[in-house]
């Protein structure tokens, strides 16, 4: 059971960024020192290793040394000696000695292997450390004359006095050099009175000394390494095990390790034995208990009592259980706090173990029976005086937990149920779920649990399922539903079984597994139609929803209509609200969501929080469909605030996803990215994970991070079972895929796959998703056609035109007009179709731009302007094209639409248009005369000869072919080609050819063709 290290370096982007900056400052001769602090095992060494690798890569000389823990005085200057030995290995002894010149003798005092050390001269001793420091600094500077230097000293908390003094000396003196000094220390290892504190104070003083002269920033910096959050723990566990890991494992590892990297590794190693959280490896136990063992006996005893109390324990409760006075508790725990074993939790008036694992190790370390005994005392103490701990919910939870841990199930079972209900009252659903799960375990230990609780087992399962759903714990809900299905079948009550099935139907979709139709159909079969009942209405709603995700809208509508009728006839208000809320899935509305709001009114009347929240999902989605992003954001954020208040943030991630989608639509990508990062902390699973990953891809695309977009898309696709084709997920993913394929893959393959995808759907039902997909597909077909023409690839051209034709046929049948932005998309499809056919349709693009303008969708308008500019160039109207290009570029700049901006830039270079704004190649022109020059003069600033060469390049000729055609040498031909690439600002002959064709350079009358 050896702990495995992660092969992958996880997280720490910001910290590494700051360290990287330090390297850059050293390269620039500014000098930099970074002090890295963090608790043991948090990842200081690993971070430094990563930095060393980067410095190495960047050609820095690297020296590293570490302080070692020794009883009494450490080996003087051990880290310096270690670093110098490493250097001697790199440079050879001669190289090293060469750096110090005539001070070899002094150096040899540190490194005896260099030969006889010089004897200190008489009276030198008093200054010897000063001379030595000078020697080390001189050596670093000599080394830095050739290349920048990174000097790392690790674990400074263990340093001897000389090393500390040397570190302080270097800290002051690296300023203005080509040296980066990195020092690490254990923040939890330097309590009051620790000698490193003086050093840290000095460092702090230097840090706040005002930067001056050439320095851009302070040369002394501090980096605090914190424990990993949930996202990093998940990555770390995944990397260690080399597999995707279930969320439950991540949860457990996070809970045990508190995000400390070393503990994560240990806990994962322990979990390999299937004993997660129970068995603590011997090395880990040793590491954890070492500090406790050094404490006084009274402290250790009280710590053991505290450990039975849990990760945190209130002061008064601890005193009551231990039977000690306040003073005695303070007296005993002071040492534990000073040693960093316990933290004082001022707000809660108690203590917390710094590491949950220390608490576990202590608890496991007790005598047989001791733990149970302590738990019983805790339970009794809180029962006797609930005020010992926080509020009533907390008291209930504490009592239940301790009876359960004392294995007194007769007392535990009712206490757990009471605690679960109390948790629900305070919106703590994950807690409630934990209580219910324990209650189910206790249930099996008690002789007559039914009599004890007045409930049946299925009822507890049902309560647990509801808690899991409300907490957003989809996977737990899934497991519980499977158990409930078995239990309900055994029970022989068809209606209860049917209700379990409706939940399963919904969850199948949420987990991205299937449409859930079969579960819903089975549920409908189980509940008789006559007489009409609320249960019948509920199962019909479930069926209607299941059908809405597949192309069976008519059946879905029929089920939903019947559901509504039955609900109204039987006064089943919940089912009625639910049906109204889902109506937009079946019959989309593109404006005021009237039914949804009516559904919400009923939900509010009923106080049904889940339905109220669902109404925000539906309403924000309706506004999204109408391209009314501001409304979608407002409504979504209102829903999120409510979700947060109700403790249902995780269960409402889809609302958050809608808000992100709206931000993307509105061009507010920075906000969207921030929100996506926050949402990742909530660990989305199933469809939530898929949806958010797709959105990450969307942002990455517009931001011109195409690799990241492709990865995000692949992740999204993998999170959805292939056979589960729900339009709202499949079609947007296909569109993103088409956009990416257009730019980095094979545009010629796009049309086929788009058409294949569309074949699954009744298109008029899903215009909303089909319209953008058709536009993206047509753009790819047009690009494929342009490239095929350039390459004289007849087969490619035929295929591209065929694809374009078939897409056009689909477009001709599509009722674009039913959809708010439909006309804009229709026009864009027409514009791209013209391009595919070798022509240009500025009119189509102009109306697309106008339509987007009317909708207030700025980014799409800029995309249409790009199309307009391109088509104007194709018809030879450069002046007009230049104006559109500039307008589009201004929008792209303002929004930060990097991909669009880059593509506009490329188009501008090809057309020799100067875009205002930074970073654009100017090609020898100023903004003022761009239009005149664009209108006449040699195309693209090429000489007549270069135009001839370009013409041949565009026709696919090689350099030798060009040489023989033009009677020039191959070398000259090659020179012309490079000059052309340079002038066009492109990297390959293919791109040059594409530019020529895109601008119709050689097919216009009056062109400079030879
Ligand atoms: N960013 C990281 N990515 C992957 N593994 C890490 C990371 N940080 C720490 N670890 C692992 O956790 C363990 C403890 O980290 P370490 O750097 O030795 O901690 P420290 O030096 O702060 O005591 C090591 O085995 C290390 O490989
Ligand atoms: Mg370390």
């Amino acid at each position: 059971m050896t702990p495995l290290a992660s092969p992958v370096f996880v997280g720490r982007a910001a910290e590494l960024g700051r360290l990287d900056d330090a390297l850059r400052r050293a390269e620039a001769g500014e000098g930099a020192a970074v002090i890295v602090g963090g608790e043991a095992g948090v990842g200081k060494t690993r971070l430094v290793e990563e930095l060393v690798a980067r410095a190495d890569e960047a050609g820095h000389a690297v020296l590293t040394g570490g302080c070692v823990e020794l009883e009494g005085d450490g080996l003087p200057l051990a880290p310096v000696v270690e670093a110098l030995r490493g250097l001697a290995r790199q440079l050879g002894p001669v190289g090293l000695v060469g750096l110090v010149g005539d001070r070899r003798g002094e150096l040899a005092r540190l490194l005896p292997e260099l030969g006889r050390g010089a004897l200190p001269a008489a009276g030198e001793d008093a200054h010897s450390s000063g001379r030595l420091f000078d020697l080390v600094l001189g050596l670093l500077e000599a080394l830095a004359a050739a290349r920048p230097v990174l000097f790392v000293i690790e674990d400074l908390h263990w340093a001897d006095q000389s090393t500390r003094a040397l570190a302080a000396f270097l800290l002051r003196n690296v300023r203005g050099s080509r040296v980066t000094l990195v020092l690490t220390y254990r923040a939890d290892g330097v309590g009051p009175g620790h000698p490193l504190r003086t050093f840290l104070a000095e460092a702090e003083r230097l840090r706040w000394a005002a930067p001056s002269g050439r320095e851009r920033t302070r040369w002394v910096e501090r980096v605090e390494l914190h424990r990993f959050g949930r996202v990093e723990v998940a990555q770390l566990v995944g990397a260690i095990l080399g597999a995707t890991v279930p969320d439950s494992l991540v949860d457990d590892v996070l809970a045990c390790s508190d995000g400390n990297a070393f503990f994560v590794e240990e806990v994962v190693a322990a979990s390999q034995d299937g004993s997660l959280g129970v068995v603590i490896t011997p090395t880990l136990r040793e590491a954890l208990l070492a500090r406790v063992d050094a404490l006084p006996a009274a402290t250790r005893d009280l710590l053991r009592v505290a450990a039975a109390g849990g990760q945190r324990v209130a002061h008064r409760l601890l005193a009551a259980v231990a039977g000690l006075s306040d003073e005695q508790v303070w007296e005993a725990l002071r040492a534990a706090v000073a040693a960093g074993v316990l933290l004082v939790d001022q707000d809660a008036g108690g203590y917390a173990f710094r590491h949950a694992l220390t608490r576990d190790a202590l608890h496991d370390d007790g005598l047989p029976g001791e733990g149970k005994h302590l738990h019983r005392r805790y339970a009794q103490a809180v029962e006797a005086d609930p005020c010992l701990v926080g509020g009533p919910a907390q008291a209930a939870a504490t009592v239940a937990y301790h009876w359960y841990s004392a294995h007194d199930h007769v007392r535990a079972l009712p206490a757990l149920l009471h605690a679960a209900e109390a948790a629900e009252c305070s919106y703590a659903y994950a807690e409630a779920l934990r209580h219910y799960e324990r209650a189910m375990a206790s249930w099996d230990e008690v002789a007559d649990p039914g009599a004890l609780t007045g409930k049946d087992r299925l009822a507890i399962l049902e309560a647990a399922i509801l808690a899991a759903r409300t907490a957003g714990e989809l996977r737990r809900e899934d497991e519980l539903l499977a158990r409930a299905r078995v239990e309900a079948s055994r029970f022989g009550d068809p209606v209860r079984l049917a209700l379990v099935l409706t939940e399963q139907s919904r969850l199948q979709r949420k987990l991205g597994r299937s449409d859930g139709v079969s579960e819903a159909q089975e549920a409908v079969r189980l509940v008789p139609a006559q007489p009409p009942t609320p249960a019948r209405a509920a199962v019909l709603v479930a069926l209607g929803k299941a059908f809405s995700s597949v192309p069976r809208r008519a059946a879905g509508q029929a089920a939903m209509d019947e559901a509504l009728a039955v609900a109204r006839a039987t006064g089943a208000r919940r089912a009625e609200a639910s049906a109204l809320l889902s109506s937009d899935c079946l019959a989309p509305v593109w404006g005021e969501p009237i039914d949804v709001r009516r559904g919400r009114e009923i939900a509010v009347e009923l106080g049904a929080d889940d339905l109220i929240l669902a109404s925000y999902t539906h309403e924000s989605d309706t506004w999204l469909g109408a391209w009314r992003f501001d409304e979608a954001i407002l409504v979504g954020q209102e829903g999120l605030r409510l979700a947060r208040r109700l403790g249902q943030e995780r269960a409402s991630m889809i609302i958050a996803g809608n808000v992100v989608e709206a931000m993307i639509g509105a061009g507010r990508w920075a906000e969207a990215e921030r929100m996506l990062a926050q949402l990742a902390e909530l660990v989305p699973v199933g469809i939530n994970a898929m949806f958010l990953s797709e959105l990450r891809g969307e942002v990455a695309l517009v931001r011109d991070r195409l690799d990241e977009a492709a990865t995000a898309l692949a992740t999204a696709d993998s999170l959805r079972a292939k056979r589960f084709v729900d339009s709202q997920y499949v079609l947007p993913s296909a569109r993103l895929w088409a956009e990416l394929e257009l730019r980095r893959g094979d545009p010629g393959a796009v049309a086929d796959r788009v058409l294949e995808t569309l074949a699954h759907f009744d298109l008029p039902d899903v215009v909303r998703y089909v319209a953008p997909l058709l536009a993206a597909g047509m753009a790819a077909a047009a690009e494929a056609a342009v490239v095929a023409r350039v390459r004289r690839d007849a087969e490619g051209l035929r295929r591209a035109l065929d694809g374009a034709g078939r897409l056009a046929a689909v477009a001709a049948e599509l009722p674009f007009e039913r959809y708010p932005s439909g006309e804009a998309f229709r026009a864009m499809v027409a514009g791209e179709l013209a391009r595919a056919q070798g022509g240009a349709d500025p009119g189509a693009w102009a109306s697309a731009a106008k339509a987007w303008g009317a909708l207030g969708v700025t980014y799409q308008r800029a995309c249409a302007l790009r199309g307009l500019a391109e088509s104007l160039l194709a018809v030879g109207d450069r002046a007009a094209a230049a104006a559109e290009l500039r307008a589009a570029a201004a929008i792209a700049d303002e929004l930060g639409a990097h991909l669009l901006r880059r593509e506009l830039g490329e188009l501008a270079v090809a057309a020799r248009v100067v875009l205002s704004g930074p970073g654009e190649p100017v090609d020898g022109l100023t903004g003022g005369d761009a239009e005149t020059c664009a209108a006449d003069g040699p195309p693209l600033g090429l000489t007549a000869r270069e135009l001839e060469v370009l013409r041949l390049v565009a026709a696919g000729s090689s350099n030798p072919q060009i040489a023989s055609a033009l009677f020039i040498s191959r070398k000259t031909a090659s020179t012309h080609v490079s000059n052309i690439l340079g002038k066009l600002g492109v990297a390959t002959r293919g791109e040059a050819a594409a530019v020529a064709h895109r601008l119709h350079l050689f097919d216009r009358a009056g062109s400079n063709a030879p």
Side-chain angles (χ1 to χ4, degrees):
M1 199 162 54
T2 35
L4 305 157
S6 158
V8 182
F9 181 78
V10 164
R12 306 295 191 212
E15 292 87 351
L16 209 49
R18 290 178 57 198
L19 287 164
D20 254 341
D21 271 358
L23 295 183
R24 299 293 92 77
R25 294 207 302 277
E27 284 167 3
E30 293 172 18
V34 186
I35 301 172
V36 180
E39 67 178 13
V42 80
K44 301 180 292 296
T45 301
R46 185 74 187 250
L47 178 71
V48 165
E49 285 168 0
E50 191 72 15
L51 179 73
V52 164
R54 289 175 177 222
D56 216 41
E57 187 111 315
H60 291 229
V62 178
L63 287 80
T64 56
C67 306
V68 280
E69 182 177 23
L70 286 174
E71 295 296 322
D73 269 343
L75 218 56
L77 294 171
V80 182
V81 173
E82 186 189 341
L84 292 178
R85 285 225 165 91
L87 195 59
R89 268 196 304 279
Q90 290 172 44
L91 304 176
V94 179
L96 179 60
V97 167
L99 290 175
V100 294
D102 58 3
R103 300 182 71 179
R104 169 193 183 131
E106 286 170 65
L107 186 62
R109 268 191 244 158
L110 284 172
L111 289 187
E113 61 265 43
L114 291 182
R116 204 158 51 79
L119 290 172
E124 194 199 61
D125 245 48
H127 308 287
S128 65
S129 70
R131 284 193 58 102
L132 184 79
F133 294 175
D134 212 46
L135 175 74
V136 173
L137 185 65
L139 192 143
L140 291 177
E141 280 172 350
L143 200 55
R147 50 195 179 134
V149 176
L150 169 63
F151 188 13
V152 179
I153 304 179
E154 273 236 74
D155 296 326
L156 218 53
H157 53 283
W158 284 324
D160 61 291
Q161 204 283 326
S162 315
T163 304
R164 280 194 302 274
L166 173 68
F169 171 79
L170 292 178
L171 205 58
R172 283 190 299 273
N173 286 289
V174 292
R175 182 179 202 171
S177 74
R178 296 220 295 161
V179 177
T180 312
L181 181 67
V182 172
L183 308 168
T184 74
Y185 76 100
R186 246 184 215 185
D188 54 339
V190 291
H194 191 287
L196 195 66
R197 289 219 160 180
T198 323
F199 167 85
L200 292 171
E202 162 76 357
E204 204 58 5
R205 197 183 60 71
L206 291 176
R207 186 155 82 97
W208 292 106
S212 66
R214 289 185 299 140
E215 291 145 1
R216 277 176 283 129
T217 48
R218 304 190 165 88
W219 89 97
V220 178
E221 272 199 90
R222 288 182 71 153
V223 168
E224 292 302 320
L225 274 195
H226 299 288
R227 295 175 185 177
F228 283 142
R230 202 172 170 129
V231 171
E232 290 93 354
V233 168
Q235 286 171 0
L236 194 51
V237 178
I240 293 170
L241 296 179
T244 36
V245 286
D247 281 343
S248 56
L249 178 63
V250 175
D251 283 343
D252 291 344
V253 173
L254 181 64
C256 288
S257 67
D258 293 321
N260 177 290
F262 168 70
F263 290 165
V264 168
E265 288 176 350
E266 292 283 340
V267 171
V268 169
S271 77
Q272 294 293 71
D273 281 4
S275 49
L276 183 88
V278 181
V279 167
I280 294 177
T281 59
T283 41
L284 183 53
R285 174 185 304 273
E286 201 176 301
L288 293 166
L289 293 183
R291 275 195 207 180
V292 175
D293 288 342
L295 297 171
T299 306
R300 287 200 311 260
D301 289 345
L302 191 54
L303 279 176
R304 243 181 271 291
V305 178
Q311 165 71 12
R312 298 174 174 275
V313 59
H315 171 85
R316 294 175 55 206
L317 177 59
L318 181 60
V321 171
L324 297 175
S325 68
D326 287 348
E327 288 76 12
Q328 286 168 315
V329 171
W330 288 326
E331 177 63 31
L333 292 188
R334 212 179 305 280
V337 172
V341 174
L342 279 192
L343 302 170
V344 178
D345 186 345
Q346 293 289 4
D347 298 339
Y351 310 93
F353 283 89
R354 179 186 291 276
H355 292 299
L357 282 172
T358 309
R359 181 256 158 191
D360 294 349
L362 269 170
H363 197 40
D364 295 350
D365 220 33
L367 297 169
E370 192 185 356
K372 271 196 216 174
H373 168 72
L374 286 172
H375 283 304
R376 197 170 316 120
R377 274 173 45 195
Y378 270 103
Q380 286 163 341
V382 180
E383 274 184 349
D385 181 4
C387 296
L388 286 174
V389 290
Q394 212 184 332
T398 308
V399 169
Y401 165 74
H402 286 293
W403 284 131
Y404 181 79
S405 304
H407 301 288
D408 188 335
H409 294 290
V410 171
R411 289 194 171 83
L413 180 55
L416 285 163
L417 294 180
H418 174 58
E421 281 155 24
E424 283 169 343
C425 287
S426 47
Y427 306 119
Y429 298 100
E431 300 261 314
L433 174 59
R434 219 173 30 245
H435 296 312
Y436 283 125
E437 288 187 327
R438 284 188 176 140
M440 285 184 293
S442 279
W443 185 274
D444 298 331
E445 303 289 330
V446 172
D448 190 356
L452 189 63
T453 60
K455 290 184 162 54
D456 62 34
R457 199 163 183 280
L458 183 55
I460 297 182
L461 264 171
E462 285 163 351
I465 288 165
L466 188 59
R469 180 190 328 149
T470 315
E473 298 270 1
L474 303 191
R475 300 244 168 84
R476 305 279 277 285
E477 190 189 354
D478 189 40
E479 291 159 19
L480 290 165
L481 277 170
R483 283 164 66 184
R485 188 165 171 176
V486 172
E487 189 82 14
S489 308
R490 205 164 46 205
F491 212 77
D493 179 343
V495 171
R496 274 175 99 177
L497 176 58
L499 294 179
V500 170
L501 286 164
T502 61
E503 297 303 333
Q504 277 194 318
S505 164
R506 182 185 48 76
L507 199 62
Q508 290 302 308
R509 284 194 298 283
K510 273 201 157 179
L511 287 171
R513 283 196 196 130
S514 77
D515 48 36
V517 165
S518 64
E519 289 83 357
Q521 283 174 326
E522 204 180 327
V524 170
R525 269 197 300 277
L526 283 166
V527 183
Q530 290 305 329
T533 53
R536 178 76 186 169
V539 292
L540 286 168
V541 170
L543 186 63
K545 285 194 201 173
F547 276 139
S548 74
S549 72
V550 291
R552 283 151 87 176
R553 286 264 164 100
Q557 193 64 63
M560 207 60 102
D561 289 346
E562 192 185 340
L564 209 49
V566 174
R568 286 183 175 144
T570 59
R573 301 280 283 160
R574 201 186 144 82
E576 182 184 355
S578 189
L580 285 169
L581 290 179
S582 306
S583 60
D584 65 319
C585 302
L586 290 158
V589 285
W590 311 126
E592 298 293 315
I594 307 214
D595 279 350
V596 170
R597 287 194 183 144
R598 270 169 52 214
R600 173 149 72 225
E601 277 163 28
I602 301 177
V604 169
E605 262 170 48
L606 297 174
D609 294 339
D610 59 333
L611 293 183
I612 298 175
L613 287 173
S615 77
Y616 285 98
T617 308
H618 290 287
E619 184 171 348
S620 54
D621 184 62
T622 302
W623 291 123
L624 267 177
W627 291 72
R628 291 182 42 185
F629 302 122
D630 293 340
E631 280 96 337
I633 292 172
L634 269 177
V635 164
Q637 281 174 337
E638 189 182 321
L640 284 181
R641 276 194 297 277
L642 181 65
R644 233 166 272 140
R645 259 208 319 281
L646 295 174
Q648 300 194 36
E649 214 179 351
R650 210 169 164 228
S652 305
M653 248 183 280
I654 215 86
I655 304 182
N658 284 351
V659 171
V660 173
E661 189 179 340
M663 284 172 172
I664 292 172
R668 290 158 58 172
W669 300 302
E671 282 169 85
E673 286 184 296
R674 270 199 299 281
M675 204 160 154
L676 282 169
Q678 285 165 11
L679 288 168
E681 287 291 325
L682 295 176
V683 196
V685 296
I687 283 304
N688 289 334
M690 189 231 68
F691 182 31
L692 294 176
S693 195
E694 211 251 289
L695 293 175
R696 231 189 313 282
E698 299 280 359
V699 185
L701 175 77
V702 284
R703 295 292 209 159
D704 202 13
R705 300 191 306 259
L706 302 188
D707 290 341
E708 184 188 326
T711 310
L713 177 64
T715 306
D717 284 341
S718 72
L719 286 166
R720 193 176 55 230
K722 286 279 170 289
R723 59 184 185 286
F724 176 33
V725 281
D726 186 349
S727 56
Q728 61 175 324
Y729 306 131
V730 171
L731 296 174
S733 279
R735 203 213 75 253
L736 180 55
W737 174 82
E739 299 233 24
L740 275 168
E741 201 65 8
L742 161 62
R743 291 171 173 99
R744 64 200 292 281
D746 173 13
V750 170
D752 280 345
R753 182 156 148 198
V754 166
L755 288 158
E756 229 169 75
T757 306
L758 290 175
H760 290 285
F761 301 95
D762 270 341
L763 300 189
D765 281 348
V766 284
V767 184
R768 168 178 176 182
Y769 304 111
V770 174
L773 178 56
L774 277 179
M778 194 62 96
E783 188 66 19
V786 168
V787 171
R789 282 197 192 89
V790 169
R791 297 199 183 129
R792 310 233 150 157
D793 170 3
E795 173 53 25
L797 183 58
R798 193 202 55 72
R799 186 169 167 222
L801 289 176
D802 172 64
R806 286 186 297 145
L807 289 169
V810 173
E813 296 292 311
L814 194 73
F816 283 101
E817 66 285 352
R818 280 197 206 161
Y819 185 58
S821 60
E823 294 303 342
F825 279 117
R826 194 205 299 271
M828 286 170 97
V829 169
E832 294 290 6
L833 178 63
R835 190 162 78 94
Q837 291 167 339
D841 186 350
W845 288 109
S847 57
K850 196 164 157 234
W852 287 120
L855 285 163
V857 186
T858 317
Y859 170 66
Q860 292 288 346
R861 179 166 165 263
C863 291
L865 291 178
R866 189 238 340 247
L868 177 55
E870 201 173 7
S871 61
L872 286 169
L873 286 171
V875 298
D877 190 349
R878 294 199 162 190
E884 303 303 349
L885 276 175
R886 288 199 196 102
I891 297 173
D893 279 336
E894 162 137 22
L895 293 177
H898 303 319
L899 173 66
L900 177 63
R901 185 63 178 79
R902 176 167 64 78
E903 291 178 346
L904 288 167
E906 287 164 7
L907 199 55
V909 169
R912 281 202 318 142
V913 169
V914 177
L915 299 176
S916 56
E920 213 37 55
V922 169
D923 200 24
L925 298 175
T926 64
D929 51 28
E931 269 158 88
T932 41
C933 286
D936 44 53
L940 308 175
L942 300 176
T943 63
R945 190 54 145 186
E946 283 165 349
L947 270 175
E948 285 174 58
V949 175
L950 177 57
R951 181 182 177 74
L952 292 167
V953 167
S957 304
S958 65
N959 284 356
Q961 286 167 333
I962 295 170
S964 70
L966 299 180
F967 306 102
I968 56 179
S969 75
R970 287 185 188 190
K971 189 161 168 12
T972 307
S974 136
T975 308
H976 281 313
V977 171
S978 343
N979 290 343
I980 292 167
L981 299 188
K983 286 187 180 176
L984 299 188
V986 296
T988 64
R989 307 161 75 90
E991 288 173 51
V995 167
H997 280 263
R998 189 165 288 137
L999 302 180
H1000 298 250
L1001 222 45
F1002 301 117
D1003 52 28
R1004 241 189 349 265
S1007 79
N1008 298 41

